[in-house]
Amino acid sequence: MAKKRNSRLVAAEIIALWMENQSFPDRQLAKVQNDHAFILEVVNGVVRNQNIFQWLERQWLKKSPQPFFRAVLEVGLYQLLFMENVEQYAAISETVDAAKGRPGGPGNAKMINAVLRRAQREGEKVFQLLEKQPAHIRLSHPKYLMDRWTRQYGEAAAIRLAEWDNHPPATVLRIEQSAIDADEFKEKLREGGIEAEVHPFSSYEIFLQLPRGIAVKKVPGYSEGWFTIQDPATSVAVDLLAPRPGEAVLDACAAPGGKAAMMAGRMKGQGELVAMDLHDDRIAVLQENQKRLGLDWMEIVRGDARKPQALDGRTFDAILLDVPCLNTGVLRRRADARWRVDEERIGKIARLQREILDAGAGLLKEGGRLVYSTCSLEAEENEDLVAEWVQEHPEFVLEKTEKSFPPESGVDGAFAALIRRK
């Protein structure tokens, strides 16, 4: 039987990979088999608090360690400064051990041990000093992003938004009411010892917030397709599109499939529902959820939303374009996304979004409707882009927009615009 790996080491390896090449931590986290909840919290916590750790390292170290040893150090710092349910002795001991097996390990392990002992002694002082730092440091967001939000929403709202991003996200599930009655499902949860609360955002769809620490695959009804995991903000775009039974409907950027499942429920299995995505790994996720939810009548197509030749010239009554975006409305779920926002990337992503909107609009039937949506809060991806596009395309009309600002809505950030072909 293989020896269980040091979970601090596993977390540090994922973080070091992210530091070195900006790889997506969630892809590595999906491969973790043991201590998943602990490693997930540590990895996301370290990535989220980069500005704080770098500020602290500037105070305490003469030079920054190599990425792997810096990752190990920050794994230890996160446990000592931010995790209340971790035994400090074990946090220090196992974190130091994680550093020892690499070239240069003994010397770096000694440095890490000294810094962690200091953090253990001076933790309260660290937070007192941190309170005096600028907002982008104490709230660990890029200064560029904090400045943008301050200009767009005002200083107080920008701070509230950054504070929201730093709270661990709740796990929320949407009941598949075509598979099970809501009251029956809640009773099944209670029988399984799970007391879930109805999310206040629930209306047409019923969302339940799970207690912390519940493994999703162990929730009653997972294999039977009784629910999907998704934030209530996902319903904003589907509510605007309002797909109906008998229509031809396209979800052009569909993976992982939560919105497609929501649309399938509203169509009651009647009509044509096509879920399209580009990459094989995302198609695999779509297929897995299709099977689990019993959506055999939904068609899955591998295709590029910018050049949808895979659809063979078909047209649709309703199209959802949930386009790739900067994710600034979901930074509490995508801790790494905050560090990828800059002027160049905003321009690049906006050009991609316009290409998808151009292509999607060409697939609409006369009188058909389209919802353009993002989980971003940036005007260049949302209001400004849509207004400019509609002005350039007089055969379309912008009927309505919706926006979720997390500190006010209590759900993820989202934007959706309903556009109709005249």
Side-chain angles (χ1 to χ4, degrees), residues 211-251:
R212 295 204 179 280
I214 301 292
V216 169
K217 291 188 177 181
K218 293 183 179 178
V219 174
Y222 174 82
S223 300
E224 293 83 353
W226 291 351
F227 63 87
T228 57
I229 297 296
Q230 56 192 120
D231 189 85
T234 56
S235 66
V236 172
V238 177
D239 286 345
L240 265 189
L241 190 64
R244 296 184 287 269
E247 290 188 317
V249 179
L250 169 67
D251 186 349

Side-chain angles (χ1 to χ4, degrees), residues 255-269:
K259 293 186 180 74
M262 199 181 297
M263 291 194 291
R266 300 195 186 187
M267 294 173 69
K268 303 185 186 305

Side-chain angles (χ1 to χ4, degrees), residues 11-213:
E13 289 173 342
I14 294 172
I15 295 163
L17 196 62
W18 170 74
M19 288 177 173
E20 290 170 340
N21 61 26
Q22 293 298 293
S23 64
F24 295 104
D26 55 334
R27 292 180 182 172
Q28 301 303 317
L29 285 164
K31 303 173 186 176
V32 173
Q33 298 295 320
N34 299 312
D35 295 332
H36 185 271
F38 173 82
I39 294 170
L40 175 70
E41 179 177 352
V42 171
V43 169
N44 285 335
V46 169
V47 172
R48 183 184 302 120
N49 288 289
Q50 277 300 290
N51 274 2
I52 293 175
F53 293 138
Q54 290 176 32
W55 164 78
L56 194 57
E57 288 159 14
R58 287 194 295 270
Q59 319 300 312
W60 290 358
L61 296 175
K62 291 180 181 178
K63 65 176 184 178
S64 183
Q66 295 173 353
F68 172 73
F69 295 112
R70 185 179 138 214
V72 174
L73 173 61
E74 292 178 4
V75 164
L77 288 172
Y78 180 75
Q79 294 170 82
L80 294 175
L81 298 176
F82 293 97
M83 294 181 73
E84 296 179 357
N85 59 343
V86 169
E87 176 61 51
Q88 293 201 346
Y89 172 81
I92 295 173
S93 174
E94 292 193 28
T95 301
V96 172
D97 284 347
K100 291 179 178 177
R102 297 288 180 94
N108 279 284
K110 187 175 179 181
M111 174 274 295
I112 290 168
N113 182 65
V115 173
L116 295 185
R117 295 290 180 188
R118 183 173 180 179
Q120 186 182 29
R121 293 192 307 270
E122 300 181 18
E124 190 173 329
K125 182 182 177 183
V126 167
F127 283 104
Q128 289 172 352
L129 291 173
L130 188 59
E131 280 302 308
K132 299 175 183 177
Q133 302 307 307
H136 73 280
I137 293 178
R138 72 174 187 272
L139 296 172
S140 196
H141 279 63
K143 186 176 186 301
Y144 171 79
L145 192 55
M146 291 297 296
D147 289 345
R148 278 180 61 86
W149 287 347
T150 298
R151 290 193 300 270
Q152 190 170 355
Y153 301 113
E155 184 178 5
I159 287 174
R160 281 166 46 224
L161 179 55
E163 289 172 341
W164 167 274
D165 292 342
N166 289 341
H167 283 111
T171 299
V172 181
L173 56 83
R174 179 183 62 83
I175 302 173
E176 285 287 352
Q177 296 175 77
S178 60
I180 188 170
D181 176 76
D183 289 334
E184 183 184 353
F185 178 63
K186 285 183 276 188
E187 181 58 34
K188 294 288 187 183
L189 292 184
R190 282 191 288 270
E191 290 173 3
I194 300 172
E195 286 293 337
E197 298 180 2
V198 175
H199 197 286
F201 205 83
S202 293
S203 55
Y204 187 98
E205 307 286 343
I206 297 178
F207 295 91
L208 298 180
Q209 184 167 313
L210 293 179
R212 295 204 179 280

Side-chain angles (χ1 to χ4, degrees), residues 348-363:
K348 184 177 180 180
I349 201 81
R351 288 190 292 274
L352 170 63
Q353 291 161 342
R354 280 196 62 114
E355 286 180 39
I356 293 174
L357 182 51
D358 285 340
L363 302 174

